[in-house]
């Protein structure tokens, strides 16, 4: 990782720039399997989509990954499985989830990354890995890109294994 990305604690990483956030996502993507669910939480501009770009790269996706704010869902074909990418920012009621296709892909043939899904965590279920992306604006000079803190919180045994696998990849 060029020594730029730093592990702060188990499941917590400090990323100094966009490239490092994407690289962290790439390593995370290499740890994912079919049916894995990640809920990405963070303010606008925190780096959720940059992390997802890296996850896609780690899965062998060659398409340009953008946030599906208006389409709600994008499906990207990876080298061995698809990546399901959702952006639930525009939704404000759990009843709206039925029309997104989310429930069709939870537990399916590829990992599912959900931006702005924290408001629907009860509907998504406990079989997930929560990923919190935080801009550390106070640690940057004016006009400088702020570093990010990426914190992974396991909600199930599979998510614990993902965190451990990511830590092993980064230690190698």
């Amino acid at each position: 990782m060029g020594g730029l990305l730093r592990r702060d604690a188990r499941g917590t990483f400090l990323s100094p720039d966009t490239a490092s956030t994407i690289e962290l996502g790439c390593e995370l993507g290499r740890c994912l399997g079919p049916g894995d669910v990640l809920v990405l939480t963070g303010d606008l501009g925190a780096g959720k989509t940059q992390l997802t770009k890296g996850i896609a790269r780690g899965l062998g996706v060659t398409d340009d990954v953008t946030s599906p704010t208006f389409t709600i869902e994008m499906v990207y074909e990876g080298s061995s499985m698809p990546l399901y990418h959702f952006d639930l920012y525009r939704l404000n009621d759990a009843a709206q989830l039925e029309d997104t296709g989310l429930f069709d892909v939870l537990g399916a043939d590829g990992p599912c990354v959900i931006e702005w899904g924290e408001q629907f965590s009860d509907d998504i279920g406990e079989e997930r890995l929560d990923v919190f992306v935080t801009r550390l604006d106070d640690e940057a000079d004016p006009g400088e890109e702020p570093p990010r803190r990426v914190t992974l919180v396991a909600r199930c045994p599979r998510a614990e294994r993902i965190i451990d696998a990511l830590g092993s990849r980064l230690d190698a």
Side-chain angles (χ1 to χ4, degrees), residues 72-73 84 86 88 96-106 112:
I72 309 289
E73 177 193 17
Y84 300 99
F86 288 84
L88 305 182
Q96 295 173 299
L97 290 175
E98 290 295 331
D99 297 328
T100 65
L102 177 65
F103 297 125
D104 297 331
V105 301
L106 289 178
C112 181

Side-chain angles (χ1 to χ4, degrees), residues 30 36 50 93 104 112 125 129 133 136 156 159 163:
R30 291 180 177 132
D36 289 335
Q50 299 307 314
D93 187 289
D104 297 331
C112 181
L129 174 63
V133 184
L136 304 175
C156 64
I163 292 172

